[in-house]
Amino acid sequence: MRKLELHWQILIGMLIGILFGFAMTYPQWGAGFVQDWINPFGTIFVKLLKLIAIPLILASLVKGISDLQDISKFKNIGLRTIATYIVTTVVAICIGLALVNLLKPGDGISDATIAQLTETYASDAGVTSKLEEASRQKEGGPLQFLVDMVPDNAFRAVSDNGLMLQVIFFTIFLGISMLLIGEKAARPLKEFFDALNDVVLKMVDLIMLTAPVAVFALLANVVVSSGDPDLLYALLKYSGVVVLGLAIMIVFYCVVVSVFTRYNPFTFLSRISPAQLLAFSTSSSAATLPVTMERVEEHIGVDKEVTSFVLPVGATINMDGTSLYQGVAAVFISQALGFELTLSGQLTIILTALLASIGSAAVPGAGMVMLVIVLESIGFPSDKLAIGLALIFAVDRPLDMMRTVVNVTGDATVSMLVAKSVGKLGKPHVQNWDDHLDEVLHKDKK
Ligand code: ASP
């Protein structure tokens, strides 16, 4: 019997997880049961993905750079990547702003709903922790992000997933220095990283075998932990605008991919779908990164010289879905609370949402932290910030899941564009998890 393809298996796991989660909202012990006995399997899966993220970035980026043989090629890839990321992010914010101004989801929201949402969430730990986190992030000067990018201890950087840009900085420095000492002298180190890269990609295959079960656990937990359905309903129009914007972004990527790379957009989407489904289930582009890299490289055929730089950098700085959401949310909150937003305020949103998406961590809920900074930049009264966040908190998780899908799809799209522009978009070379299994199982018989 032909085995069901991975993305179908994952999709089935997700659906059963959602149904099971709903069923578990009925018995009184249901939510506790899911949190204690089901969710840990999802958490283990996310931890496994994060476990291999740093070794994968290290190994693949060193391999990518040292294969280049010419530093100017790297500069070329780097500049194209950053420029394309900025363009796609600005497009995303503009789509979000256009929709929210056109459809005005904040105007229809009643005072009673605002009062109810404020009462439920304004002093919720989820909201207050986001406000605190935002004020901590604001403390540095304008160039703080550059200072933060440079590690003062390579081992500390590689031991913290939150320091992804520092790891990228160190690895690029290492890779370039390897190029400069010449192929012969660098060979032992290069062979080490090449082998590490292959091993880590095999680990991705193995972890993905458990993905259908893991997404079942993750989604069941999301369902039992979600808020009051009546409040979710009150925010339907706002959520609808965000979802519409995100859907338009996916169409935008498909058009761009087919126009610039001549790749069939449906093939593109189906090949990266396991990464998208994981982005949806985990709400974290950082956790999804190993799978995104594997899919784009092995299943689409983008050369490692491109993916090894474009994707880890993209996971940290390119968040089209998040920035689109920040544009919609900032205007929605202003509309609902009667805060007058001028044209220059909207332009400020474009700039700050761009910077905020660069500064957002690739983890669940990060977009909401940076939203505080976007709101402050347009002069939103600080005493109303908690109320503003309370308005959108109830639907943040499902929207986070969807914007993470767009973030990951955006990274994959840009890696294809950059690869095409430098002649590095080749043929797929799929590796299966059991490629060498026979050799291992039948070693004795040889
Ligand atoms: N969860 C998103 C990501 O990891 C970030 C956010 O929008 O909160 O890409």
PDB file of all heavy atoms in Angstrom, residues 192-213:
ATOM      1  N   PHE A 192      34.272  18.409   8.726  1.00  0.00           N
ATOM      2  CA  PHE A 192      33.532  18.234   9.976  1.00  0.00           C
ATOM      3  C   PHE A 192      32.133  18.845   9.854  1.00  0.00           C
ATOM      4  O   PHE A 192      31.129  18.211  10.151  1.00  0.00           O
ATOM      5  CB  PHE A 192      34.319  18.884  11.126  1.00  0.00           C
ATOM      6  CG  PHE A 192      33.512  19.038  12.389  1.00  0.00           C
ATOM      7  CD1 PHE A 192      33.286  17.940  13.216  1.00  0.00           C
ATOM      8  CD2 PHE A 192      32.962  20.263  12.747  1.00  0.00           C
ATOM      9  CE1 PHE A 192      32.524  18.063  14.376  1.00  0.00           C
ATOM     10  CE2 PHE A 192      32.195  20.399  13.891  1.00  0.00           C
ATOM     11  CZ  PHE A 192      31.971  19.299  14.712  1.00  0.00           C
ATOM     12  N   PHE A 193      32.082  20.097   9.384  1.00  0.00           N
ATOM     13  CA  PHE A 193      30.776  20.763   9.291  1.00  0.00           C
ATOM     14  C   PHE A 193      29.883  20.130   8.212  1.00  0.00           C
ATOM     15  O   PHE A 193      28.669  20.068   8.365  1.00  0.00           O
ATOM     16  CB  PHE A 193      30.945  22.273   9.036  1.00  0.00           C
ATOM     17  CG  PHE A 193      31.281  23.021  10.298  1.00  0.00           C
ATOM     18  CD1 PHE A 193      32.528  23.605  10.481  1.00  0.00           C
ATOM     19  CD2 PHE A 193      30.357  23.130  11.322  1.00  0.00           C
ATOM     20  CE1 PHE A 193      32.838  24.286  11.649  1.00  0.00           C
ATOM     21  CE2 PHE A 193      30.653  23.807  12.494  1.00  0.00           C
ATOM     22  CZ  PHE A 193      31.901  24.385  12.660  1.00  0.00           C
ATOM     23  N   ASP A 194      30.512  19.644   7.123  1.00  0.00           N
ATOM     24  CA  ASP A 194      29.710  18.965   6.084  1.00  0.00           C
ATOM     25  C   ASP A 194      29.021  17.740   6.668  1.00  0.00           C
ATOM     26  O   ASP A 194      27.830  17.497   6.441  1.00  0.00           O
ATOM     27  CB  ASP A 194      30.607  18.502   4.918  1.00  0.00           C
ATOM     28  CG  ASP A 194      31.006  19.671   4.041  1.00  0.00           C
ATOM     29  OD1 ASP A 194      30.580  20.798   4.343  1.00  0.00           O
ATOM     30  OD2 ASP A 194      31.752  19.451   3.062  1.00  0.00           O
ATOM     31  N   ALA A 195      29.804  16.964   7.431  1.00  0.00           N
ATOM     32  CA  ALA A 195      29.232  15.742   8.011  1.00  0.00           C
ATOM     33  C   ALA A 195      28.165  16.109   9.037  1.00  0.00           C
ATOM     34  O   ALA A 195      27.091  15.503   9.078  1.00  0.00           O
ATOM     35  CB  ALA A 195      30.338  14.910   8.656  1.00  0.00           C
ATOM     36  N   LEU A 196      28.443  17.133   9.844  1.00  0.00           N
ATOM     37  CA  LEU A 196      27.467  17.561  10.856  1.00  0.00           C
ATOM     38  C   LEU A 196      26.158  17.973  10.172  1.00  0.00           C
ATOM     39  O   LEU A 196      25.064  17.632  10.615  1.00  0.00           O
ATOM     40  CB  LEU A 196      28.037  18.735  11.669  1.00  0.00           C
ATOM     41  CG  LEU A 196      27.118  19.294  12.753  1.00  0.00           C
ATOM     42  CD1 LEU A 196      26.850  18.246  13.824  1.00  0.00           C
ATOM     43  CD2 LEU A 196      27.741  20.537  13.414  1.00  0.00           C
ATOM     44  N   ASN A 197      26.295  18.662   9.063  1.00  0.00           N
ATOM     45  CA  ASN A 197      25.114  19.117   8.329  1.00  0.00           C
ATOM     46  C   ASN A 197      24.262  17.929   7.872  1.00  0.00           C
ATOM     47  O   ASN A 197      23.048  17.916   8.057  1.00  0.00           O
ATOM     48  CB  ASN A 197      25.602  19.927   7.127  1.00  0.00           C
ATOM     49  CG  ASN A 197      24.453  20.471   6.340  1.00  0.00           C
ATOM     50  OD1 ASN A 197      23.683  21.272   6.838  1.00  0.00           O
ATOM     51  ND2 ASN A 197      24.305  19.998   5.119  1.00  0.00           N
ATOM     52  N   ASP A 198      24.929  16.901   7.305  1.00  0.00           N
ATOM     53  CA  ASP A 198      24.163  15.733   6.856  1.00  0.00           C
ATOM     54  C   ASP A 198      23.475  15.038   8.023  1.00  0.00           C
ATOM     55  O   ASP A 198      22.329  14.599   7.921  1.00  0.00           O
ATOM     56  CB  ASP A 198      25.089  14.732   6.137  1.00  0.00           C
ATOM     57  CG  ASP A 198      25.571  15.301   4.817  1.00  0.00           C
ATOM     58  OD1 ASP A 198      24.958  16.288   4.351  1.00  0.00           O
ATOM     59  OD2 ASP A 198      26.559  14.783   4.265  1.00  0.00           O
ATOM     60  N   VAL A 199      24.203  14.950   9.130  1.00  0.00           N
ATOM     61  CA  VAL A 199      23.635  14.262  10.292  1.00  0.00           C
ATOM     62  C   VAL A 199      22.415  15.023  10.816  1.00  0.00           C
ATOM     63  O   VAL A 199      21.372  14.427  11.118  1.00  0.00           O
ATOM     64  CB  VAL A 199      24.696  14.132  11.412  1.00  0.00           C
ATOM     65  CG1 VAL A 199      24.060  13.612  12.692  1.00  0.00           C
ATOM     66  CG2 VAL A 199      25.810  13.212  10.969  1.00  0.00           C
ATOM     67  N   VAL A 200      22.538  16.340  10.896  1.00  0.00           N
ATOM     68  CA  VAL A 200      21.421  17.115  11.447  1.00  0.00           C
ATOM     69  C   VAL A 200      20.202  17.030  10.524  1.00  0.00           C
ATOM     70  O   VAL A 200      19.072  16.932  10.979  1.00  0.00           O
ATOM     71  CB  VAL A 200      21.830  18.582  11.702  1.00  0.00           C
ATOM     72  CG1 VAL A 200      20.655  19.372  12.238  1.00  0.00           C
ATOM     73  CG2 VAL A 200      22.957  18.652  12.710  1.00  0.00           C
ATOM     74  N   LEU A 201      20.449  17.028   9.215  1.00  0.00           N
ATOM     75  CA  LEU A 201      19.302  16.894   8.307  1.00  0.00           C
ATOM     76  C   LEU A 201      18.624  15.538   8.481  1.00  0.00           C
ATOM     77  O   LEU A 201      17.403  15.414   8.373  1.00  0.00           O
ATOM     78  CB  LEU A 201      19.746  17.088   6.853  1.00  0.00           C
ATOM     79  CG  LEU A 201      19.939  18.555   6.461  1.00  0.00           C
ATOM     80  CD1 LEU A 201      20.518  18.666   5.060  1.00  0.00           C
ATOM     81  CD2 LEU A 201      18.630  19.338   6.529  1.00  0.00           C
ATOM     82  N   LYS A 202      19.427  14.514   8.763  1.00  0.00           N
ATOM     83  CA  LYS A 202      18.831  13.195   9.044  1.00  0.00           C
ATOM     84  C   LYS A 202      17.996  13.264  10.317  1.00  0.00           C
ATOM     85  O   LYS A 202      16.923  12.657  10.424  1.00  0.00           O
ATOM     86  CB  LYS A 202      19.960  12.151   9.169  1.00  0.00           C
ATOM     87  CG  LYS A 202      19.534  10.734   9.427  1.00  0.00           C
ATOM     88  CD  LYS A 202      18.584  10.179   8.400  1.00  0.00           C
ATOM     89  CE  LYS A 202      19.157  10.046   7.006  1.00  0.00           C
ATOM     90  NZ  LYS A 202      18.177   9.788   5.984  1.00  0.00           N
ATOM     91  N   MET A 203      18.493  14.033  11.296  1.00  0.00           N
ATOM     92  CA  MET A 203      17.716  14.174  12.538  1.00  0.00           C
ATOM     93  C   MET A 203      16.361  14.833  12.254  1.00  0.00           C
ATOM     94  O   MET A 203      15.350  14.475  12.851  1.00  0.00           O
ATOM     95  CB  MET A 203      18.502  15.014  13.566  1.00  0.00           C
ATOM     96  CG  MET A 203      19.722  14.296  14.110  1.00  0.00           C
ATOM     97  SD  MET A 203      20.795  15.451  14.968  1.00  0.00           S
ATOM     98  CE  MET A 203      20.591  14.936  16.635  1.00  0.00           C
ATOM     99  N   VAL A 204      16.358  15.777  11.309  1.00  0.00           N
ATOM    100  CA  VAL A 204      15.077  16.417  10.955  1.00  0.00           C
ATOM    101  C   VAL A 204      14.118  15.351  10.433  1.00  0.00           C
ATOM    102  O   VAL A 204      12.953  15.285  10.835  1.00  0.00           O
ATOM    103  CB  VAL A 204      15.258  17.512   9.875  1.00  0.00           C
ATOM    104  CG1 VAL A 204      13.912  18.115   9.492  1.00  0.00           C
ATOM    105  CG2 VAL A 204      16.206  18.587  10.332  1.00  0.00           C
ATOM    106  N   ASP A 205      14.632  14.465   9.543  1.00  0.00           N
ATOM    107  CA  ASP A 205      13.784  13.388   9.007  1.00  0.00           C
ATOM    108  C   ASP A 205      13.182  12.564  10.134  1.00  0.00           C
ATOM    109  O   ASP A 205      12.000  12.233  10.128  1.00  0.00           O
ATOM    110  CB  ASP A 205      14.604  12.431   8.134  1.00  0.00           C
ATOM    111  CG  ASP A 205      14.969  13.042   6.801  1.00  0.00           C
ATOM    112  OD1 ASP A 205      14.321  14.017   6.416  1.00  0.00           O
ATOM    113  OD2 ASP A 205      15.905  12.532   6.161  1.00  0.00           O
ATOM    114  N   LEU A 206      14.044  12.209  11.087  1.00  0.00           N
ATOM    115  CA  LEU A 206      13.575  11.341  12.180  1.00  0.00           C
ATOM    116  C   LEU A 206      12.537  12.054  13.052  1.00  0.00           C
ATOM    117  O   LEU A 206      11.522  11.470  13.422  1.00  0.00           O
ATOM    118  CB  LEU A 206      14.763  10.875  13.038  1.00  0.00           C
ATOM    119  CG  LEU A 206      15.760   9.974  12.302  1.00  0.00           C
ATOM    120  CD1 LEU A 206      16.967   9.662  13.175  1.00  0.00           C
ATOM    121  CD2 LEU A 206      15.086   8.676  11.877  1.00  0.00           C
ATOM    122  N   ILE A 207      12.802  13.319  13.344  1.00  0.00           N
ATOM    123  CA  ILE A 207      11.849  14.060  14.186  1.00  0.00           C
ATOM    124  C   ILE A 207      10.509  14.178  13.462  1.00  0.00           C
ATOM    125  O   ILE A 207       9.446  14.043  14.058  1.00  0.00           O
ATOM    126  CB  ILE A 207      12.407  15.466  14.533  1.00  0.00           C
ATOM    127  CG1 ILE A 207      13.659  15.330  15.390  1.00  0.00           C
ATOM    128  CG2 ILE A 207      11.366  16.290  15.279  1.00  0.00           C
ATOM    129  CD1 ILE A 207      14.402  16.630  15.587  1.00  0.00           C
ATOM    130  N   MET A 208      10.584  14.391  12.144  1.00  0.00           N
ATOM    131  CA  MET A 208       9.338  14.579  11.378  1.00  0.00           C
ATOM    132  C   MET A 208       8.463  13.319  11.350  1.00  0.00           C
ATOM    133  O   MET A 208       7.273  13.396  11.087  1.00  0.00           O
ATOM    134  CB  MET A 208       9.658  15.017   9.945  1.00  0.00           C
ATOM    135  CG  MET A 208      10.059  16.461   9.856  1.00  0.00           C
ATOM    136  SD  MET A 208       8.835  17.558  10.553  1.00  0.00           S
ATOM    137  CE  MET A 208       7.653  17.648   9.234  1.00  0.00           C
ATOM    138  N   LEU A 209       9.081  12.162  11.611  1.00  0.00           N
ATOM    139  CA  LEU A 209       8.268  10.946  11.672  1.00  0.00           C
ATOM    140  C   LEU A 209       7.215  11.052  12.762  1.00  0.00           C
ATOM    141  O   LEU A 209       6.150  10.450  12.680  1.00  0.00           O
ATOM    142  CB  LEU A 209       9.171   9.735  11.990  1.00  0.00           C
ATOM    143  CG  LEU A 209      10.062   9.215  10.880  1.00  0.00           C
ATOM    144  CD1 LEU A 209      10.884   8.052  11.384  1.00  0.00           C
ATOM    145  CD2 LEU A 209       9.207   8.804   9.704  1.00  0.00           C
ATOM    146  N   THR A 210       7.537  11.818  13.814  1.00  0.00           N
ATOM    147  CA  THR A 210       6.592  11.912  14.931  1.00  0.00           C
ATOM    148  C   THR A 210       5.649  13.114  14.771  1.00  0.00           C
ATOM    149  O   THR A 210       4.790  13.328  15.623  1.00  0.00           O
ATOM    150  CB  THR A 210       7.345  12.077  16.267  1.00  0.00           C
ATOM    151  OG1 THR A 210       8.039  13.333  16.236  1.00  0.00           O
ATOM    152  CG2 THR A 210       8.336  10.960  16.512  1.00  0.00           C
ATOM    153  N   ALA A 211       5.819  13.864  13.694  1.00  0.00           N
ATOM    154  CA  ALA A 211       5.040  15.107  13.544  1.00  0.00           C
ATOM    155  C   ALA A 211       3.520  14.900  13.607  1.00  0.00           C
ATOM    156  O   ALA A 211       2.831  15.664  14.286  1.00  0.00           O
ATOM    157  CB  ALA A 211       5.429  15.819  12.252  1.00  0.00           C
ATOM    158  N   PRO A 212       2.966  13.869  12.941  1.00  0.00           N
ATOM    159  CA  PRO A 212       1.501  13.745  12.982  1.00  0.00           C
ATOM    160  C   PRO A 212       0.955  13.610  14.412  1.00  0.00           C
ATOM    161  O   PRO A 212      -0.072  14.184  14.742  1.00  0.00           O
ATOM    162  CB  PRO A 212       1.240  12.466  12.158  1.00  0.00           C
ATOM    163  CG  PRO A 212       2.411  12.364  11.246  1.00  0.00           C
ATOM    164  CD  PRO A 212       3.577  12.885  12.021  1.00  0.00           C
ATOM    165  N   VAL A 213       1.673  12.859  15.254  1.00  0.00           N
ATOM    166  CA  VAL A 213       1.224  12.703  16.639  1.00  0.00           C
ATOM    167  C   VAL A 213       1.432  14.009  17.401  1.00  0.00           C
ATOM    168  O   VAL A 213       0.582  14.455  18.181  1.00  0.00           O
ATOM    169  CB  VAL A 213       2.018  11.552  17.321  1.00  0.00           C
ATOM    170  CG1 VAL A 213       1.625  11.445  18.788  1.00  0.00           C
ATOM    171  CG2 VAL A 213       1.770  10.259  16.599  1.00  0.00           C
TER     172      VAL A 213
END
